[in-house]
Amino acid sequence: MRARNKQRKHNKWSLHAIVWSLVGCVLILHLYSLVHHRDGVGEDGKVHFSPFPMIHELEEIEEELFPMPSARSKRNPRAEKRRPKRHTTLIEEFLDENSQIRHLFFPDQKSVIDPRIGTGNDSLYFYPGRIWLDTDGNPIQAHGGGILYVERTRTYYWYGENKDGPTYHAHDQAPARVDIVGVSCYSSKDLWTWKNEGIVLAGEETDLNHDLHKLNVLERPKVIYNDYTRKYVMWMHVDDANYTKASTGIAVSDYPTGPFEYLYSKRPHGFESRDMTIFKDDTGIAYIIYSSEDNSELHIGPLTDDYLDVTRVMRRILIGQHREAPALFKCQGTYYMITSGCTGWAPNEALAHAADSMMGPWETMGNPCLGGNKIFRQTTFFAQSTYVVPLAGFPGSYLFMADRWNPANLSNSRYIWLPLIVGGAVDEPLEYNFGFPLWDRVSIYWHKRWRLPDRWWAAQ
């Protein structure tokens, strides 16, 4: 009897030891997280995650105030009195082409970014939301795009949708659209001055059955280089006017400036595909990521060795979260992704995600946007993600590319390029790791006017 009690007592203390050991581990992890987070905050209260002091200015928090317009309608004072008062939201003002504050979202020609000037206070500065001219003096047409860097020639190539045409609706319920013009390509040595290389994949004028017939849809073109076939491979979202085709299109070229030969379209893995991107890992393996199942989830899978098709391997991620516009990058062995919600042309809140493997599991880390104001952060600065560009020589520093869509005039949509920094503790609990984040925070900083560090320019 005493032996049994002794054994029970021993088991009891063993259980207590295990419990307190686990509690101790939890407290140590929590303390580490707090110290790690505190290390990222400077004496001025501003977040400084990067080890490079020359980019601290990019991590400063800038505020942005938008004055709301006065009441509009005075045509029927009695009706106005009877009607319940409702304040117009900034999102409604953004979508209203007749808004009194539209110039704040879409500045006019007086404030264009013109790289031909080459000197003065505005030289080499990005102004998110302003009209951006190429070296010929024309507005850049490369929406929903991505950037390919060719190391051999130290040249950046920017591919995107050319929407230089009238905006219309295919039918009453259809989203705003333009006829397919094609995929534009621009080249640059410095990410600020862009030369127009022309239409590298053109729309089809006569063949109604062609995927790229002008009455169809071509969106989000991305180009990567295959080291084995020595081909430049372009993937894109192709669709019909009613968005029922929901497929990907593939094209190839021997040169980054084209022309690209269109090959075929398909539904990857047999599933519908809309907003999509491709990502080439430093291992040489390329992946496709696309919105599927009525945009309720994302699918991800490796491409074949020649990048011209998908393999049979596919993983469903972010199931039921209704995310689109994926933009991926890799930092110190961790994979990161920025996505947007599915609200049509209306801007919404971006989310950052992370994973140890491209195939997941992927964890959601919260909204990466900092600065501006609350509505700016909740609308991704009134824009939608499209690509993330690594800044060579500055580990953990990236250029975030987004589109500020103008549904009333899609050709006048603007580009929102901002600094993206990886560092510091995340600010939301994670799903798979017992609430303890294993990765650094992703931060996108709002700036009305900013430029890349002098050290970066000196290396170009």
Side-chain angles (χ1 to χ4, degrees):
M1 187 70 169
R2 289 180 181 177
R4 288 182 183 176
N5 290 337
K6 197 172 185 179
Q7 182 68 30
R8 288 175 183 172
K9 187 174 182 181
H10 176 73
N11 290 341
K12 181 179 179 181
W13 282 109
S14 298
L15 180 60
H16 284 175
I18 293 173
V19 170
W20 283 109
S21 297
L22 290 174
V23 171
C25 291
V26 167
L27 290 175
I28 291 172
L29 286 171
H30 183 61
L31 180 62
Y32 170 79
S33 177
L34 290 176
V35 172
H36 186 57
H37 180 68
R38 188 176 300 170
D39 287 343
V41 181
E43 294 179 359
D44 55 0
K46 296 172 182 177
V47 182
H48 295 319
F49 298 138
S50 173
F52 297 99
M54 65 282 292
I55 67 169
H56 282 352
E57 62 185 50
L58 301 183
E59 300 173 307
E60 295 178 354
I61 305 298
E62 289 187 17
E63 297 300 319
E64 186 80 33
L65 297 177
F66 271 60
M68 291 299 293
S70 57
R72 301 179 190 173
S73 177
K74 299 295 182 182
R75 292 177 295 180
N76 191 338
R78 293 182 179 178
E80 287 294 321
K81 289 181 180 179
R82 292 194 302 267
R83 184 179 302 141
K85 290 185 178 181
R86 187 182 71 86
H87 293 288
T88 304
T89 67
L90 270 178
I91 293 180
E92 289 173 328
E93 293 292 341
F94 172 80
L95 296 172
D96 183 2
E97 59 182 305
N98 298 314
S99 170
Q100 298 176 35
I101 60 172
R102 190 166 183 77
H103 64 283
L104 299 177
F105 302 110
F106 301 98
D108 59 22
Q109 291 278 352
K110 297 178 182 178
S111 62
V112 297
I113 305 172
D114 191 347
R116 298 174 302 170
I117 298 175
T119 58
N121 293 333
D122 287 346
S123 180
L124 307 181
Y125 278 91
F126 297 100
Y127 286 84
R130 290 191 182 184
I131 297 173
W132 196 353
L133 304 183
D134 61 24
T135 54
D136 294 326
N138 300 314
I140 295 174
Q141 286 289 337
H143 310 283
I147 287 182
L148 170 73
Y149 180 65
V150 177
E151 190 171 359
R152 179 175 54 84
T153 59
R154 302 181 70 176
T155 304
Y156 296 91
Y157 294 93
W158 180 6
Y159 304 90
E161 308 162 32
N162 189 309
K163 292 188 175 298
D164 194 13
T167 301
Y168 67 96
H169 294 260
H171 53 80
D172 292 342
Q173 302 299 321
R177 55 159 297 153
V178 299
D179 284 344
I180 293 181
V181 178
V183 177
S184 296
C185 176
Y186 294 82
S187 62
S188 175
K189 297 289 187 179
D190 58 15
L191 291 172
W192 190 76
T193 305
W194 293 95
K195 175 187 175 184
N196 187 0
E197 300 289 352
I199 303 294
V200 296
L201 179 66
E204 169 61 39
E205 291 285 337
T206 58
D207 185 359
L208 286 169
N209 296 317
H210 198 284
D211 287 336
L212 303 186
H213 185 267
K214 64 180 183 179
L215 296 180
N216 289 329
V217 172
L218 189 165
E219 295 177 337
R220 299 188 170 270
K222 304 293 187 292
V223 176
I224 54 177
Y225 179 68
N226 190 294
D227 299 289
Y228 301 104
T229 64
R230 298 184 179 181
K231 297 283 188 181
Y232 295 88
V233 183
M234 178 188 297
W235 284 67
M236 71 213 84
H237 168 212
V238 295
D239 226 314
D240 53 31
N242 296 318
Y243 282 82
T244 59
K245 185 178 180 67
S247 301
T248 55
I250 301 96
V252 295
S253 176
D254 293 324
Y255 307 98
T257 54
F260 280 78
E261 176 190 1
Y262 186 78
L263 300 181
Y264 70 102
S265 67
K266 72 174 301 179
R267 285 190 167 186
H269 311 109
F271 292 91
E272 60 183 24
S273 170
R274 293 188 173 88
D275 273 16
M276 52 72 60
T277 193
I278 50 175
F279 174 78
K280 181 181 177 181
D281 203 346
D282 48 22
T283 61
I285 300 175
Y287 298 83
I288 183 172
I289 306 94
Y290 57 93
S291 297
S292 193
E293 299 296 288
D294 199 25
N295 286 357
S296 66
E297 61 191 41
L298 294 179
H299 292 180
I300 186 168
L303 302 181
T304 53
D305 291 341
D306 58 9
Y307 301 168
L308 300 182
D309 203 348
V310 296
T311 67
R312 295 182 178 181
V313 180
M314 185 272 285
R315 178 72 59 85
R316 301 166 64 198
I317 63 173
L318 306 185
I319 298 172
Q321 297 188 33
H322 295 274
R323 309 303 296 176
E324 63 180 10
L328 285 96
F329 61 101
K330 188 177 184 180
C331 180
Q332 298 182 349
T334 298
Y335 299 89
Y336 294 93
M337 176 168 56
I338 308 295
T339 64
S340 82
C342 302
T343 55
W345 295 115
N348 56 62
E349 183 181 43
L351 290 178
H353 317 269
D356 289 326
S357 165
M358 276 293 292
M359 301 302 289
W362 284 84
E363 303 237 25
T364 299
M365 302 192 298
N367 188 340
C369 299
L370 294 176
N373 55 46
K374 183 177 180 181
I375 189 64
F376 256 47
R377 295 186 290 274
Q378 291 177 342
T379 59
T380 318
F381 314 115
F382 290 92
Q384 186 182 44
S385 53
T386 185
Y387 205 74
V388 176
V389 185
L391 296 180
F394 296 90
S397 302
Y398 300 82
L399 193 157
F400 172 70
M401 296 172 56
D403 295 280
R404 179 173 288 177
W405 297 110
N406 183 351
N409 183 3
L410 287 170
S411 66
N412 193 34
S413 297
R414 307 299 174 82
Y415 310 105
I416 305 296
W417 287 23
L418 292 168
L420 183 153
I421 309 297
V422 178
V426 301
D427 52 8
E428 289 193 8
L430 305 180
E431 181 179 354
Y432 298 108
N433 291 304
F434 306 101
F436 292 95
L438 301 179
W439 308 291
D440 289 334
R441 175 186 166 84
V442 176
S443 302
I444 302 170
Y445 293 88
W446 169 254
H447 293 275
K448 291 180 287 188
R449 175 180 183 267
W450 71 284
R451 57 171 288 170
L452 294 168
D454 291 335
R455 178 179 158 185
W456 190 89
W457 292 106
Q460 302 312 302

